[in-house]
Amino acid sequence: MEINYSNIKVIGFDADDTLWVNETYFREAEIEFGKLLSDYETINKIDQELFKKEISNLDIYGYGVKAFTLSMVESALEISNYNVSAKTIEAILNIGKNMLDKPVDLLDGVQEVLQTLSNKYKLILATKGDLLDQERKLEKSGLTDYFHHIEVLSDKKEANYSKLLNHLDINPSEFLMIGNSLKSDVLPLVNIKAHAIHIPFHTTWAHEQVTKKETNGKAYKTIKSLTDLLKILD
Amino acid sequence: MEINYSNIKVIGFDADDTLWVNETYFREAEIEFGKLLSDYETINKIDQELFKKEISNLDIYGYGVKAFTLSMVESALEISNYNVSAKTIEAILNIGKNMLDKPVDLLDGVQEVLQTLSNKYKLILATKGDLLDQERKLEKSGLTDYFHHIEVLSDKKEANYSKLLNHLDINPSEFLMIGNSLKSDVLPLVNIKAHAIHIPFHTTWAHEQVTKKETNGKAYKTIKSLTDLLKILD
């Protein structure tokens, strides 16, 4: 599909798994959690139960590491049939604290791409999750100065993006979103007539996965890596 | 002290304990938490330990109910010397979930004051805490339409406010902040040459308390209730 990007004035970047590693840390945490509860259930069942708990808590807790930690604690109680020890609960809290303390590991080409594009476009960061955690990661990343505006959203649905574009005072046709999640960074944009480019990350959280049917005929491009953006936009 | 408010263009309102009840819910939660652990310690000691835990976790967790819940769980492990039961941990998680599900109880005169001031000033909401929780409370409050802009801050220090004013593209002298916390809503503003009016709430979290020395000679006004604002500004 040929898409014309000549109208673009503002480019929004997702952060987690688009600019830096994130999902990998969640996967590692799930593996640790599984080991802690392996006396009670199979790893497969523990994974499934934790995922179900996260989804059922999404409305009340939202996204991010604190929400994830609370869901791990709640899952541990239930998976162990209330036999889990206080020391295991402490180990679970520490999984969460370690996640909040992880270094920020930039993906390939991030600096170069932001540097180049920031000469021609207004760049913003649009991420969801914990406000404090995202601000902390951005600071650790050293990328703050490339962004004109940082927006931490409680969710990334069409209404959230429409509000953001309204606030930026631009038309949807002037906005391009770049991200690894079809569900959060691509489809809502295409649906409100803005632009989106998909850069898959090797791991995607089950909650962010979409069906072929949902992407069928939608006007977005998929590229392999962030540096490929420069071929399209520069 | 006579203060001239004629330059004011934008008024920022704190939300928790300024527009609606909040600290009361935290106090109730602390009482419930104390009861759950009363086999292990005195209520006074439990209160002190929980507060210490919240403060020591502030850098990593930030503000809000999810952070508070995680600190309650961690405190319970330590206060009980790791003897706390899984059922008690579940009860603690439920204290947190109930807090996130509380109705929004507006303080006296809020609707009238916002309605009147919104005719003359641009109003913004500037709050700290969980992004999702604050958005949810604002929606429940029915006050969304009075505000031109909602800003959830990870903290309320001078740098956070300077960034906000920069973003709003106004001078400090054109901004007035209204809130119940001297530490978060008043002193940082006065220190960056913006205006602030203090409306005490009957309960203040220990972390938000300041000394006489810190407020001495600072140019801000204290009023008894939100409706008194109309005498000053309208």
Side-chain angles (χ1 to χ4, degrees), chain A residues 1-232:
Chain A
M1 194 170 333
E2 210 39 66
I3 301 168
N4 184 348
Y5 297 107
S6 59
N7 283 332
I8 301 302
K9 287 183 184 161
V10 181
I11 304 178
F13 285 88
D14 171 55
D16 292 338
D17 302 321
T18 297
L19 301 181
W20 53 64
V21 172
N22 175 65
E23 191 54 29
T24 313
Y25 295 148
F26 276 87
R27 285 281 178 278
E28 289 170 4
E30 284 159 13
I31 290 168
E32 275 189 74
F33 179 75
K35 281 183 193 158
L36 287 173
L37 294 176
S38 57
D39 283 353
Y40 304 105
E41 257 307 341
T42 62
I43 295 297
N44 189 46
K45 179 76 174 169
I46 294 168
D47 267 358
Q48 287 174 351
E49 290 303 311
L50 176 56
F51 179 67
K52 270 196 257 173
K53 188 57 74 185
E54 286 178 80
I55 298 306
S56 78
N57 280 334
L58 206 50
D59 273 356
I60 191 141
Y61 288 152
Y63 298 93
V65 174
K66 283 183 287 187
F68 177 65
T69 309
L70 287 165
S71 288
M72 280 195 290
V73 173
E74 194 180 331
S75 272
L77 302 175
E78 294 177 9
I79 289 169
S80 71
N81 207 12
Y82 298 88
N83 288 311
V84 67
S85 72
K87 284 287 179 187
T88 300
I89 299 292
E90 185 177 53
I92 292 169
L93 294 180
N94 286 335
I95 293 175
K97 284 192 175 180
N98 289 336
M99 291 174 82
L100 292 168
D101 203 32
K102 287 276 181 202
V104 168
D105 188 7
L106 294 185
L107 297 181
D108 283 348
V110 167
Q111 295 262 14
E112 179 203 352
V113 169
L114 295 179
Q115 174 69 62
T116 306
L117 294 179
S118 65
N119 293 324
K120 193 169 159 189
Y121 302 94
K122 189 187 274 192
L123 308 185
I124 68 162
L125 191 78
T127 168
K128 69 185 178 193
D130 266 355
L131 183 63
L132 178 65
D133 190 29
Q134 293 295 6
E135 286 185 359
R136 184 165 36 209
K137 285 192 278 186
L138 180 62
E139 202 174 303
K140 281 189 196 168
S141 75
L143 303 173
T144 310
D145 289 347
Y146 295 120
F147 295 104
H148 177 265
H149 181 77
I150 313 299
E151 190 81 24
V152 181
L153 302 156
S154 60
D155 209 340
K156 283 179 150 181
K157 294 187 171 160
E158 293 173 26
N160 305 88
Y161 283 111
S162 293
K163 221 160 139 186
L164 174 62
L165 297 187
N166 204 21
H167 179 64
L168 293 167
D169 204 20
I170 56 167
N171 289 320
S173 64
E174 297 166 326
F175 185 72
L176 169 64
M177 182 73 195
I178 314 285
N180 71 299
S181 168
L182 286 168
K183 182 172 180 170
S184 295
D185 306 317
V186 174
L187 294 180
L189 283 300
V190 173
N191 290 340
I192 63 167
K193 315 265 184 238
H195 298 281
I197 292 181
H198 182 219
I199 312 178
F201 188 65
H202 59 78
T203 313
T204 306
W205 186 32
H207 179 64
E208 296 289 332
Q209 283 161 13
V210 298
T211 61
K212 276 270 172 219
K213 201 178 155 197
E214 288 174 87
T215 58
N216 216 353
K218 300 284 183 176
Y220 67 88
K221 220 187 240 313
T222 300
I223 59 177
K224 278 195 181 151
S225 77
L226 209 56
T227 45
D228 287 349
L229 262 186
L230 299 182
K231 298 181 202 157
I232 299 173

Side-chain angles (χ1 to χ4, degrees), chain B residues 156-166 170-177 184-196 218-219:
Chain B
K156 282 178 151 182
K157 295 188 170 159
E158 292 172 27
N160 305 90
Y161 283 112
S162 293
K163 220 159 138 188
L164 173 63
L165 297 188
N166 204 19
I170 57 167
N171 289 321
S173 64
E174 299 166 325
F175 185 71
L176 168 65
M177 183 73 194
S184 296
D185 306 316
V186 174
L187 294 180
L189 282 301
V190 174
N191 291 340
I192 63 167
K193 315 264 184 239
H195 298 280
K218 300 284 183 176

Side-chain angles (χ1 to χ4, degrees), chain B residues 89-103:
Chain B
I89 299 293
E90 184 176 55
I92 292 169
L93 295 181
N94 286 335
I95 292 176
K97 284 192 175 179
N98 288 337
M99 290 175 82
L100 292 169
D101 203 32
K102 288 275 181 203

